[in-house]
Amino acid sequence: MEDEPTLDKAPRRATMKDVAARAGVGLSTVSRVVSGKGGVAAAKVRAVEKAVRELNFSRNDSAHTLRTGSSATVGMVVTNISDPFFSALIKGVEERARERDLVVLVTSVTDAADEAERVIRRLLRRSLDGLILVAPEGSDLGFLQEQTGTPVVFVDQPPSDHVTADLVLVDNEGGAVSAVEHLYGAGHRRIACFAHESGRYTSVRREAGYYQALRRLGLPSDRALVVSVEDDVNVCAEALLELSRLPDPPTAIFSTNGRTTRALLGAQRLLGSRLALVGFDDFDLAELMDPPTTTIAQDPVAIGAAAADLLLSRIDGRSGPTQRIILGTRLVERGSGELPPHHD
């Protein structure tokens, strides 16, 4: 009778005990080398590393989490991962995490508050070491107060009043003031403000900076010059047409975010308009526009790094009151704000 076929058994996964036997060292030595800790002689480090390669050893992170209480993973939630600002923000967090041999688990959510709440709750079930949040406005995140073992840092906009956490912002008002003052210095006295509808916190703060600059410069505040728009070329074109019909139309525009600025550039091209323009947020190809686009630049990589530093300090045991970091902006002059005022 023929032998019955047998299934090959999968090769057994190498353990730290196997590595220790192959390297001729103790288990504690292997643990220190694998965890990146110091205090091990160079010869033993080389022996362990050689055994790890030969045995194709990889650390069992689930067991490591149970043993140490650390998952070596931080979570991050952003509202629009395709936006270059958030891509750079993630880069800043990842650079800091890489220095600590941590993994960043990133997820993107829409502006729907209930979706963000569900995603954040699911992330917290993954035993993260910490969490960095760019949460949609209106999200009910009061449950975060119950997560006493998971440090949280908010970025770009503060949490609601019933959530206490570290926070990293940019000087939205100051950046807007710089934009309006730059246009004023170029001779403009009728300056419109295109405020983005999404992300109301930043939009409101930058619009407040616009009004602050008008008061500082002695210019009248004309509500007809302030429009709230979607980041859409056709919507911006319609708004520009309405502004052009005013008895005293604007000669310049301050735009409150990068997506709105890009939509405005498309709208101006569509209409053949040449209004001066300064936009909040720098963006790729701004210098290749005609004319090159002047912007108020923030540094999203630095923002991400600052948020990561706050989170890592909490993970390391920092206690005490929450910290609020506000980073500055800078004016990048390229020419679009320098156009001479147009008169009918």
Side-chain angles (χ1 to χ4, degrees):
M1 185 175 64
E2 294 183 359
D3 292 337
E4 293 183 2
T6 59
L7 297 176
D8 292 334
K9 292 184 178 180
R12 183 175 66 85
R13 176 174 176 167
T15 66
M16 281 205 294
K17 185 175 180 180
D18 297 326
V19 173
R22 176 69 66 93
V25 299
L27 273 173
S28 61
T29 299
V30 175
S31 177
R32 294 187 70 83
V33 174
V34 170
S35 300
K37 297 178 180 178
V40 179
K44 291 185 177 181
V45 170
R46 289 193 295 270
V48 170
E49 291 176 343
K50 182 173 182 290
V52 165
R53 290 192 300 271
E54 291 174 348
L55 295 171
N56 195 28
F57 170 80
S58 61
R59 187 176 70 182
N60 186 327
D61 282 338
S62 296
H64 177 78
T65 299
L66 289 172
R67 189 169 59 251
T68 66
S70 170
S71 65
T73 304
V74 296
M76 186 170 184
V77 177
V78 298
T79 52
N80 190 346
I81 202 169
S82 63
D83 188 317
F85 172 84
F86 291 117
S87 299
L89 185 72
I90 293 167
K91 178 183 178 183
V93 173
E94 288 180 330
E95 287 178 351
R96 284 292 197 269
R98 195 175 298 119
E99 295 171 1
R100 295 278 294 267
D101 196 26
L102 299 176
V103 172
V104 182
L105 180 61
V106 181
T107 185
S108 178
V109 296
T110 67
D111 289 328
D114 56 347
E115 178 196 354
E117 294 162 22
R118 289 195 302 271
V119 169
I120 293 168
R121 286 181 184 275
R122 287 200 296 268
L123 280 175
L124 289 171
R125 290 199 292 266
R126 292 177 175 269
S127 301
L128 300 172
D129 289 349
L131 188 60
I132 295 175
L133 292 179
V134 182
E137 292 174 5
S139 302
D140 183 6
L141 303 180
F143 62 87
L144 290 174
Q145 293 299 100
E146 304 168 6
Q147 301 291 328
T148 56
T150 306
V152 178
V153 175
F154 281 80
V155 177
D156 200 42
Q157 60 187 25
S160 56
D161 293 339
H162 53 277
V163 177
T164 302
D166 293 327
L167 172 65
V168 180
L169 300 170
V170 296
D171 184 4
N172 292 292
E173 291 92 334
V177 168
S178 296
V180 175
E181 288 181 341
H182 176 75
L183 290 166
Y184 181 88
H188 299 280
R189 299 298 181 266
R190 293 284 286 172
I191 303 169
C193 174
F194 273 59
H196 57 284
E197 288 190 344
S198 60
R200 293 303 300 165
Y201 173 79
T202 53
S203 181
V204 168
R205 297 325 311 156
R206 293 166 191 176
E207 186 178 331
Y210 163 82
Y211 281 116
Q212 180 182 334
L214 295 182
R215 291 192 297 271
R216 183 180 299 180
L217 297 169
L219 297 178
S221 297
D222 186 348
R223 290 295 305 176
L225 294 180
V226 179
V227 293
S228 180
V229 294
E230 299 173 6
D231 305 324
D232 179 87
V233 171
N234 292 325
V235 171
C236 288
E238 291 177 6
L240 285 172
L241 283 174
E242 290 186 13
L243 289 174
S244 71
R245 299 186 184 109
L246 293 174
D248 190 5
T251 62
I253 302 170
F254 163 57
S255 168
T256 62
N257 81 355
R259 294 189 301 275
T260 304
T261 301
R262 291 190 291 272
L264 270 169
L265 289 168
Q268 293 223 74
R269 189 176 301 110
L270 185 66
L271 298 175
S273 173
R274 299 281 289 184
L275 296 181
L277 173 65
V278 176
F280 206 113
D281 287 337
D282 206 11
F283 61 95
D284 291 340
L285 306 181
E287 68 278 7
L288 300 182
M289 298 294 104
D290 181 23
T293 307
T294 296
T295 59
I296 300 299
Q298 48 184 327
D299 188 345
V301 175
I303 296 169
D309 287 342
L310 282 178
L311 187 69
L312 292 171
S313 69
R314 290 291 186 188
I315 292 172
D316 290 340
R318 174 175 63 87
S319 58
T322 58
Q323 292 190 15
R324 181 186 181 100
I325 295 176
I326 301 178
L327 300 180
T329 61
R330 61 187 177 90
L331 176 73
V332 182
E333 297 185 42
R334 295 194 180 98
S336 65
E338 304 300 327
L339 294 176
H342 292 188
H343 297 286
D344 291 334

